[in-house]
Amino acid sequence: MYKYLPALMLTILCTACGAPATREELPDAVPGYTPDKSTDEAGLWMHMDLMEEQIKTSGQLVRDPELNRYVRDVACRVTGPYCGDLRVYIMRVPHFNASMAPNGVLLVWTGLLLRATNEAQLAYVLSHEAGHYLRRHSLQMWRDTERKSSLFTVLNVIGATIGVPGYAYDIAQLSAIGGTLKFSRDSEREADRLGYELSTVAGYDPRQAPLLWEALVKESEADDDSEPWIFFSTHPHTKERIATLSKLAEQAARNSGDDALGEERYAKALAPWRGMFLRDELQQRRFGRAEVLLDRLIASGRGLGELYYYQGELYRLRRADGDQEKAQQAYRQALRYQDAPPETHRELGAVYMQSGAAQQARAAFQRYLQLRPEAEDREMIRAYMEQLS
Amino acid sequence: MCESRHSLFRIVLTLVTLAVLAGCTQASVLRNKEPDAKPSQHVRVLLMPPEIELAELTAGGLVAPRADWTEQATRNIIEALRAELQAKNAELILYEPPQDPQKRYRYDQLIKLHNAVREAIAYHRNRDNGFRLTTKDRDDLDWTLGADVRLLREEFDADYALFLSVQDLYASGGRKALTFMLSVLYLFPVLPGAGQYGAASLVDLHDGELEWFNRFASQTGDLRSPDAVRISLENILKDLPL
């Protein structure tokens, strides 16, 4: 009898393991919600509170009060009564992401702020994250992982006892991991829907969400790092998201108010920062995606002097065949606009200098020194000018 | 018959080993070889925000943080620490973050600096990993946080800062049952992996030097109980030069 008992248990457990994961549905968090101290949820909150202390003192935290107020106001506009439960932190990370912790910490990466082209797009992402908070997805996910990992350990112990071949575990484990990731994708779908609802109710144009995802797909296709394998991605496949969101957007009547996009406000809030975010992006040396991003921002038609300057910078840094000409062209294009940074003259001067156009190089350097008489590199530029004469 | 008796013997042996190993407690102390003299008979010790987290180790090996236990343990540790220091004629002061954001930023950076130094000491000193620094004597503690710590001395009128970091894991019922089962099956002690781990350090706020550093680990103890905390604290504060 004892001989068969472990086998029997293994059979039962394996069946439980293979069964489709049912998500434990939790009631939504209410405004002002805090979990009871003795619960696993309170444990997660406490852990995240400790992380929050790290975030507050992090060198990556963007502390500018203006920008913080702006992003927080957008978050409050879409979350309404939950505004007081969320704490927004802007982190200087040059990739597209935002994340929500169970205790209400909402992290927004600067790579996201660079890529959104209007307030409606930002509002949608913030609403999506708020959706995770409202639906308490972290807790759901935690309980699911806890259940599966415990089950697995038990299986392993029993299996080791009765001698089940190793590959059986690989298969079972793979199915459990796949299950966890599916669980996560389901949460993301739910947050997508909630995000769409919250931002639409707040008066934002619902068609902005699919536009943003579309732009991200194009960037990622141009990127040197390919897209992750769908089975192991925690987010629903982006193309699928676009389809769903477009459908949702069509279903909704368009809010025709001037506020539906918030393009003007967004551009104004981001203007002092975009140069820094673009520099951070170029530092990644992921030129494929940066090229697509810059083309898109240029097409949106705002701050063209600055954008063409950074396009020139991209070609200068990439140094592929023909890039020097492209850089020169971009810098010259930039200088047609009022907002071209003074550094455009310096870079243009350097390009001229390399191509042997001494007179033009001198003129460009001269202009740079006129505009930036206190520039840190003024002595070096003067030395170049002497060399050229 | 004989064979089964033999097995029984092995099981008993396993359980005994398990019990012995379960009582394992370690403290790895480093002290500054040239400590400054105590500034006075009665010293004031500033307890920096202690990093304490109590958690349950689930059957599957997940560390599940527990807020209620942590709160209780923090209270217990502070009370026991106060009593312990009092016996050494030292007074415990609790760190309060200042209201002024500028000050707060500077103090936060000092705390982060300390944590970076703590990691460095743990990494370079406490392991035979080939990462020993040739500039550091293995048995000496010659690290400093720099002169800026005087800011803390002035603000809190304190002589020393005590930093404490503890992670305390308790095996859940399921995990205990599972590891016990494994121990019996393999006739080899399998520990649930619970226990206390952490580091404590004492910084002289007159010059920023670390006077004492302890990396501790213990398979026993219960920080949730005020009585048991006193025993754990003996290990945590081993050879504290006060």
Side-chain angles (χ1 to χ4, degrees), chain A residues 153-338:
Chain A
T153 311
V154 173
L155 269 180
N156 270 319
V157 170
I158 297 166
T161 321
I162 60 172
V164 172
Y167 63 82
Y169 288 100
D170 294 343
I171 294 167
Q173 194 143 20
L174 199 66
S175 106
I177 293 170
T180 303
L181 292 173
K182 183 185 175 303
F183 182 96
S184 155
R185 284 194 302 275
D186 287 344
S187 300
E188 293 299 335
R189 278 198 193 90
E190 195 170 51
D192 265 353
R193 278 197 300 277
L194 265 162
Y196 159 78
E197 272 172 33
L198 289 173
S199 57
T200 309
V201 166
Y204 289 107
D205 181 352
R207 288 170 304 185
Q208 289 302 310
L211 286 182
L212 182 60
W213 294 127
E214 244 166 49
L216 290 175
V217 169
K218 283 201 188 111
E219 254 190 65
S220 115
E221 279 167 0
D223 199 0
D224 317 319
D225 296 349
S226 58
E227 238 183 319
W229 191 22
I230 305 162
F231 183 71
F232 286 114
S233 70
T234 53
H235 281 65
H237 192 218
T238 317
K239 280 177 181 154
E240 182 205 310
R241 277 176 117 167
I242 295 168
T244 313
L245 286 167
S246 301
K247 214 160 80 190
L248 285 171
E250 279 163 27
Q251 285 162 6
R254 190 192 172 181
N255 182 325
S256 56
D258 296 339
D259 252 9
L261 287 182
E263 208 166 350
E264 202 70 46
R265 274 197 310 274
Y266 190 77
K268 196 167 158 251
L270 267 291
W273 298 95
R274 201 160 66 163
M276 183 177 105
F277 297 167
L278 282 166
R279 268 196 307 282
D280 290 351
E281 171 63 30
L282 289 180
Q283 249 177 22
Q284 309 303 304
R285 301 188 71 84
R286 293 170 82 163
F287 298 123
R289 76 174 200 191
E291 205 173 12
V292 171
L293 169 66
L294 275 164
D295 283 347
R296 181 166 65 87
L297 294 179
I298 287 170
S300 78
R302 278 176 191 277
L304 291 178
E306 184 182 59
L307 290 173
Y308 279 117
Y309 165 69
Y310 282 105
Q311 196 178 45
E313 287 291 273
L314 186 156
Y315 295 128
R316 177 177 71 82
L317 293 166
R318 190 170 70 178
R319 295 174 67 166
D321 280 348
D323 273 354
Q324 200 175 353
E325 290 74 39
K326 283 185 186 168
Q328 187 182 347
Q329 219 172 351
Y331 292 137
R332 284 167 61 178
Q333 183 76 16
L335 290 175
R336 291 189 191 160
Y337 301 92
Q338 289 287 319

Side-chain angles (χ1 to χ4, degrees), chain A residues 369-385:
Chain A
L369 290 180
Q370 272 170 7
L371 293 169
R372 280 247 198 278
E374 297 300 315
E376 274 186 8
D377 54 358
R378 58 185 185 272
E379 289 309 326
M380 196 172 73
I381 299 298
R382 281 195 194 114
Y384 284 158
M385 288 169 72

Side-chain angles (χ1 to χ4, degrees), chain A residues 37-40 42-44 46-47 50 53-54 57-59 63 142 145-146 149-150 153-154 157-158 160-161, chain B residues 52-54 58-68 70-71 104-105 108-109 112 175 178 181-182 185-186:
Chain A
K37 277 271 184 261
S38 62
T39 57
D40 52 352
L44 292 183
M46 174 188 73
H47 193 73
L50 292 174
E53 290 307 308
Q54 300 290 315
T57 59
S58 166
R63 295 182 164 81
W142 170 262
T145 310
E146 204 279 312
S149 64
S150 294
T153 311
V154 173
V157 170
I158 297 166
T161 321
Chain B
I52 300 170
E53 190 171 84
L54 274 70
T58 68
L62 239 55
V63 175
R66 285 288 299 257
D68 46 354
T70 303
E71 238 178 54
R104 176 152 194 177
Y105 180 79
D108 284 343
Q109 296 305 314
K112 289 182 87 161
R175 187 158 185 94
L178 211 68
M181 210 171 119
L182 272 179
L185 282 171
Y186 288 110

Side-chain angles (χ1 to χ4, degrees), chain B residues 42-99:
Chain B
H42 177 82
V43 293
R44 286 164 60 89
V45 178
L46 176 66
L47 178 65
M48 300 308 284
E51 296 167 14
I52 300 170
E53 190 171 84
L54 274 70
E56 192 171 48
L57 197 59
T58 68
L62 239 55
V63 175
R66 285 288 299 257
D68 46 354
W69 295 355
T70 303
E71 238 178 54
Q72 179 67 44
T74 306
R75 271 202 302 272
N76 291 343
I77 287 177
I78 290 174
E79 279 326 301
L81 200 57
R82 199 187 294 282
E84 184 74 22
L85 288 180
Q86 215 149 33
K88 295 174 190 288
N89 199 16
E91 185 183 346
L92 184 75
I93 310 158
L94 299 183
Y95 175 88
E96 289 284 343
Q99 293 296 318

